[in-house]
């Protein structure tokens, strides 16, 4: 499975043959990805045939589309049974791919479906990069109506905590930037707040974006929603995020999932505004998407607008995020629902 080899190390995949074969294959894998090995037109037939059923490190178990064909979710299945989910969201001038870094997640945030099902395993760098290559191939060869023909933004907001799988995620990002030619600025790592991981990322040479999933602005509430807050409390998280901002010069995002009566109070808005102002961060508000093991409900749309207004009046930049893919369980925090109970069609 060629994506499981380092891109610099494709010799053994190609076998005997002229040395330029390796470069040709690398181009097909990373520069102009294709869905099927048979589309690798300048490779000899035998090589294409030998790659045919092992091009991707996973099979496509479910492919679903929503929002008039502009949202697509893939449930990939690795040979060992691990589920890997990716969601592509198309817009007139953007195609944002949401990718997974782990199968499952160990951090157990109460309101997130992935966390509710526990941790399966880390994804390999090649399994992370192959999600990007697959979406590139899809956009190039199949396409979405009115959407660019390539991925323009990559967000680590699928399953898993990227900074809890640091070395593999780092290598995946390196391959995206150095081999696929994707700009670091179009990649965003979203973290629940693994402070040592944020520090390590700030020492990497690439200006990738950082999103912090905050959800609560005091330690008591945050620990009840995001258990890892006990280990990395808000003050430490804020210090690490500030250091990242200073080193990279990139505006931080704060993600805030709106839960009715939980974190949508004026008191929280007030405290969140202080943190966001200190960090000069942009706040994204997301209505909670329902998950099976949590009774929390989303704040009403009206209330979300009020909360956004309260932040704005305190000088904070804020966006209320639209929800894509809710009816195919592809929205934030819902990935993994399908894989645990395959759809009956
Ligand atoms: N572990 C990383 C990346 C995965 S979560 C992180 O926590 O940032 C990606 C985003 O989805 C996060 O902002 C997360 O808080 C949000 N999210 C999780 N569950 C959600 C739900 N049920 N409804 C809406 N957003 C949710």
């Amino acid at each position: 499975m060629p994506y499981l080899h380092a891109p610099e190390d494709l010799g053994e995949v190609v076998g005997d043959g002229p040395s330029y074969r390796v470069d040709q294959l690398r181009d097909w894998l990373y520069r102009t990805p294709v869905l099927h090995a048979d589309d690798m037109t300048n490779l000899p037939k035998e090589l294409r045939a030998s790659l045919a059923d092992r091009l991707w490190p996973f099979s496509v178990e479910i492919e679903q589309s929503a929002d008039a064909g502009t949202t697509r979710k893939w449930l990939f299945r690795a040979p060992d049974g691990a589920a890997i989910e990716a969601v592509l969201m198309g817009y007139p001038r953007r195609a944002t791919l949401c990718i997974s870094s782990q199968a499952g997640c160990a951090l157990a945030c109460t309101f997130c479906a992935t966390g509710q099902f526990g941790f399966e395993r880390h994804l390999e760098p090649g399994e992370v990069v192959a999600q990007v290559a697959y979406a590139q191939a899809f956009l190039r060869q199949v396409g979405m109506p009115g959407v660019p023909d390539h991925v323009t933004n990559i967000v680590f907001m699928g399953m898993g905590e990227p900074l809890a799988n640091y070395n593999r995620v780092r290598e995946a990002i390196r391959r995206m930037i150095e081999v696929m030619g994707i700009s670091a600025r179009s990649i965003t790592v979203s973290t629940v707040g693994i402070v040592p991981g944020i520090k390590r990322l700030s020492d990497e040479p690439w200006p990738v974006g950082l999103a912090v999933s905050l959800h609560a602005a005091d330690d008591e509430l945050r620990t009840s929603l995001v258990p890892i807050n006990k280990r990395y409390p808000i003050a430490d998280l804020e210090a690490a995020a500030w250091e990242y901002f200073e080193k990279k010069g990139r505006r931080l995002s704060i993600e805030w999932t709106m839960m009715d009566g939980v974190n949508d109070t004026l008191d929280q808005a007030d405290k969140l505004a202080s943190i966001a102002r200190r960090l000069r961060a942009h706040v994204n508000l997301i209505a909670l998407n329902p998950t099976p093991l949590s009774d929390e409900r989303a704040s009403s749309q009206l209330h979300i607008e009020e909360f956004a207004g309260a932040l704005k009046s305190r000088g904070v930049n804020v966006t209320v995020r639209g929800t894509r893919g809710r009816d195919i369980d592809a929205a934030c925090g819902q990935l993994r629902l399908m894989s645990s109970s395959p759809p009956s069609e």
Side-chain angles (χ1 to χ4, degrees):
M1 288 187 279
Y3 283 104
L4 296 186
H5 293 252
E8 294 78 12
D9 194 19
L10 289 170
E12 42 191 297
V13 179
V14 168
D16 298 336
S19 60
Y20 59 80
R21 283 272 179 268
V22 171
D23 298 329
Q24 288 175 322
L25 178 62
R26 190 184 305 113
D27 282 350
W28 286 119
L29 296 174
Y30 297 99
R31 289 283 171 172
T32 50
V34 284
L35 292 171
H36 307 285
D38 215 40
D39 302 329
M40 299 178 172
T41 44
N42 61 2
L43 298 188
K45 263 208 166 71
E46 312 77 65
L47 180 55
R48 280 189 261 164
S50 84
L51 289 172
D53 56 1
R54 59 183 182 108
L55 172 57
W56 300 101
F58 38 61
S59 57
V60 182
E61 187 164 302
I62 304 174
E63 179 171 37
Q64 282 179 305
S65 92
D67 306 315
T70 58
T71 298
R72 192 160 279 245
K73 167 179 162 173
W74 293 283
L75 171 63
F76 303 116
R77 187 73 71 179
D80 70 350
I84 304 170
E85 291 176 305
V87 183
L88 180 62
M89 292 157 285
Y91 306 86
R93 270 177 294 278
R94 241 177 338 130
T96 298
L97 179 68
C98 177
I99 57 173
S100 297
S101 57
Q102 299 177 316
C105 184
L107 295 177
C109 300
T110 53
F111 54 91
C112 173
T114 307
Q116 291 166 4
F117 286 87
F119 177 70
E120 221 172 311
R121 70 167 168 84
H122 294 302
L123 297 187
E124 294 300 321
E127 293 175 312
V128 176
V129 170
Q131 297 170 61
V132 180
Y134 196 92
Q136 290 283 36
F138 173 81
L139 281 174
R140 272 166 30 83
Q141 296 187 296
V142 181
M144 277 180 169
V147 174
D149 64 358
H150 60 281
V151 174
T152 64
N153 296 80
I154 295 164
V155 295
F156 279 87
M157 293 189 186
M159 293 201 304
E161 168 51 47
L163 298 183
N165 184 15
Y166 192 89
N167 290 335
R168 295 180 190 85
V169 164
R170 181 201 185 278
E171 172 60 11
I173 291 173
R174 184 195 71 81
R175 291 180 196 178
M176 290 176 209
I177 295 169
E178 294 182 358
V179 188
M180 301 185 95
I182 292 171
S183 114
R185 295 186 159 269
S186 62
I187 301 171
T188 298
V189 171
S190 180
T191 180
V192 72
I194 309 289
V195 166
I198 296 173
K199 290 186 173 158
R200 287 178 74 182
L201 195 64
S202 71
D203 287 330
E204 302 291 356
W206 316 295
V208 301
L210 183 69
V212 174
S213 296
L214 195 63
H215 311 303
D218 63 67
D219 282 321
E220 194 187 345
L221 180 59
R222 190 162 196 269
T223 299
S224 74
L225 299 171
V226 178
I228 196 73
N229 187 70
K230 224 181 161 69
R231 176 122 51 111
Y232 307 117
I234 293 174
D236 297 1
L237 175 53
E238 197 183 318
W242 178 253
E243 184 185 332
Y244 193 88
F245 173 72
E246 287 218 298
K247 282 194 178 155
K248 302 292 177 197
R250 291 216 53 185
R251 192 179 65 178
L252 303 162
S253 306
I254 292 176
E255 309 294 308
W256 192 277
T257 299
M258 298 287 295
M259 289 171 246
D260 185 38
V262 176
N263 63 351
D264 60 356
T265 58
L266 206 52
D267 173 56
Q268 286 295 310
D270 214 34
K271 291 174 176 155
L272 167 58
S274 303
I275 296 174
R277 271 204 316 264
R278 282 198 296 269
L279 290 175
R280 298 185 205 158
H282 186 101
V283 174
N284 287 311
L285 302 178
I286 317 145
L288 177 82
N289 292 306
T291 57
L293 299 181
S294 163
D295 296 330
E296 302 302 358
R297 290 180 333 174
S299 314
S300 70
Q301 205 53 41
L302 184 68
H303 195 80
I304 295 175
E305 294 299 338
E306 281 170 7
F307 194 86
L311 293 173
K312 277 182 202 150
S313 71
R314 287 163 176 75
V316 175
N317 286 313
V318 53
T319 305
V320 178
R321 275 226 230 135
T323 301
R324 283 289 189 97
R326 208 182 246 198
D327 54 340
I328 54 170
D329 286 342
C332 299
Q334 289 189 309
L335 297 174
R336 182 69 177 259
L337 294 181
M338 285 312 267
S339 54
S340 53
S341 55
S344 46
E345 285 184 323

